[in-house]
Amino acid sequence: MIGAVLIFANRRIALIGNGSQAQRIKATLKCWDLEPHCIFKPTLREGDSGITDDFDKVRACDTIFLCSPNKTHFDYLKSLIGERYIFCEKPPVQSHNHIDALRKLDNGKIHYNFNLRYSEISNFLLKARNSDFGELISASITISHGLATKPAYETSWRANSSLCPKGVFEIVSVHAVDLIGFHFDIANIDSNELSNRSGLGTGYDTANTMISLINGGRVNVFSTYVGPYFFDWTFVFENGLLIADPSGITLRGPRAVFDSRGFFKLPPIIEQQSVDSNEDYAQSLERSVAVFLDTTQRNDTFDPRNRDLSLFSNSFII
């Protein structure tokens, strides 16, 4: 468990949605011995035990975890913003008009869950930036797993373009885009190629995105639901390297390293850490929830700079 035990005796927690991310949130809340007072879905199905379709029960709660399909976020936010604290899954909304409206509605009590900011990759990027690595020249990010090969995928909201217009890009790639924006200054998304390679559903299961940075650097982000499980994050700085893959995360530097003949050679390892990506994701989610719960418990507001970055990241995927 991360952080001190929080006392939530006087708060009521509602969870909107009951899909895979909602299950992760429920598991994370158990770290603090917390459980939702109500779980809401607008339409109940046979076997939906312990779930309500009565939205008044959500309104009666003061701490909301919004884990419904992306398309529904804005209507829920508009309805619930006020005295309640809201943990909103990414991306917050799906149109520029909704971003503009949300910027005005946000009263400082919404936490946008771009949880990769709390991951070990993010920690290592911070170390790289604090290690005289210089400017980022180029980065290549690959995130692959075979979700589209699972039987339930074709009928899920992720495969439905009316519910999830940008598909894997707005669910997976957005984490990488946000992390780049968290550590570097994004100038533009130069290209974004979306495709449905599985032939299942109407949504996009593959995305190839090129980002340009204000410093002239370039970042390519590739994500897919139709490949084998694999991830690779490679960052080439002026004076060092950061590489994250299934074997772990490695920092290498400096650039001026030579062999006996005077030729450049691979820089030595500065720091290396074994990281299980699933465990790192769970821990980054736990850290994100901890920030939310701590702020909620103190009756404080969230840093407006994080809100601005979240909505900035959101704008790139519309």
Side-chain angles (χ1 to χ4, degrees):
M1 182 176 69
I2 297 172
V5 175
L6 303 173
I7 300 173
F8 260 66
N10 297 322
R11 291 196 175 275
R12 294 184 61 83
I13 299 173
L15 181 60
I16 300 178
N18 197 42
S20 58
Q21 187 64 7
Q23 300 305 318
R24 295 185 189 100
I25 292 294
K26 285 194 286 186
T28 301
L29 287 173
K30 290 183 184 298
C31 294
W32 293 272
D33 295 324
L34 296 174
E35 292 188 3
H37 291 81
C38 81
I39 300 172
F40 171 83
K41 287 175 60 178
T43 304
L44 298 183
R45 297 179 180 178
E46 185 177 352
D48 276 343
S49 176
I51 302 173
T52 183
D53 59 357
D54 182 357
F55 196 65
D56 285 338
K57 292 185 178 180
V58 176
R59 294 182 188 277
C61 295
D62 50 30
T63 306
I64 314 295
F65 286 84
L66 180 51
C67 303
S68 58
N70 299 342
K71 186 178 181 179
T72 66
H73 288 179
F74 181 72
D75 287 338
Y76 285 127
L77 289 167
K78 187 169 61 173
S79 176
L80 293 169
I81 286 174
E83 294 304 312
R84 303 174 187 87
Y85 282 88
I86 303 172
F87 181 100
C88 180
E89 274 302 326
K90 51 75 197 165
V93 294
Q94 289 188 325
S95 77
H96 289 291
N97 287 339
H98 285 171
I99 287 178
D100 293 339
L102 185 54
R103 189 174 283 112
K104 296 175 183 177
L105 288 169
D106 190 326
N107 61 352
K109 293 188 174 184
I110 306 174
H111 176 71
Y112 303 100
N113 185 38
F114 288 96
N115 56 285
L116 208 59
R117 299 175 188 177
Y118 306 96
S119 67
E120 283 304 314
I121 291 176
S122 183
N123 291 340
F124 268 74
L125 279 170
L126 184 60
K127 291 176 182 180
R129 298 188 65 200
N130 291 334
S131 299
D132 297 322
F133 271 31
E135 295 283 352
L136 178 65
I137 301 171
S138 178
S140 177
I141 299 169
T142 296
I143 309 169
S144 171
H145 61 81
L147 181 64
T149 65
K150 291 188 173 182
Y153 173 78
E154 186 172 7
T155 57
S156 73
W157 64 271
R158 290 173 176 81
N160 187 329
S161 59
S162 65
L163 296 177
C164 190
K166 297 292 181 68
V168 69
F169 177 69
E170 68 179 80
I171 299 171
V172 177
S173 300
V174 64
H175 275 296
V177 173
D178 177 76
L179 191 63
I180 295 302
F182 187 66
H183 288 282
F184 309 99
D185 294 321
I186 294 178
N188 191 40
I189 289 186
D190 296 331
S191 63
N192 192 26
E193 300 174 4
L194 307 179
S195 61
N196 182 327
R197 297 187 63 86
S198 68
L200 300 173
T202 57
Y204 298 113
D205 55 36
T206 300
N208 200 338
T209 309
M210 182 60 71
I211 302 170
S212 58
L213 304 180
I214 288 177
N215 72 352
R218 305 271 283 178
V219 179
N220 179 251
V221 179
F222 174 79
S223 62
T224 186
Y225 284 151
V226 297
Y229 172 77
F230 180 69
F231 68 93
D232 181 274
W233 301 61
T234 299
F235 294 81
V236 180
F237 295 87
E238 293 173 327
N239 197 39
L241 303 169
L242 188 159
I243 302 167
D245 58 30
S247 66
I249 307 177
T250 303
L251 282 178
R252 290 180 176 271
R255 175 183 57 208
V257 180
F258 307 93
D259 64 17
S260 59
R261 298 169 296 171
F263 295 129
F264 282 98
K265 67 177 185 178
L266 184 66
I269 293 173
I270 298 173
E271 184 175 350
Q272 193 169 42
Q273 181 175 325
S274 296
V275 176
D276 179 278
S277 64
N278 292 324
E279 182 178 338
D280 187 34
Y281 180 89
Q283 290 180 348
S284 70
L285 179 59
E286 186 177 330
R287 294 184 186 107
S288 183
V289 172
V291 169
F292 175 71
L293 294 179
D294 179 62
T295 305
T296 301
Q297 187 68 9
R298 291 185 287 105
N299 289 313
D300 203 352
T301 55
F302 297 103
D303 188 336
R305 292 172 297 180
N306 286 336
R307 174 203 62 205
D308 292 342
L309 176 58
S310 297
L311 297 182
F312 180 70
S313 297
N314 195 161
S315 70
F316 279 119
I317 68 166
I318 295 173

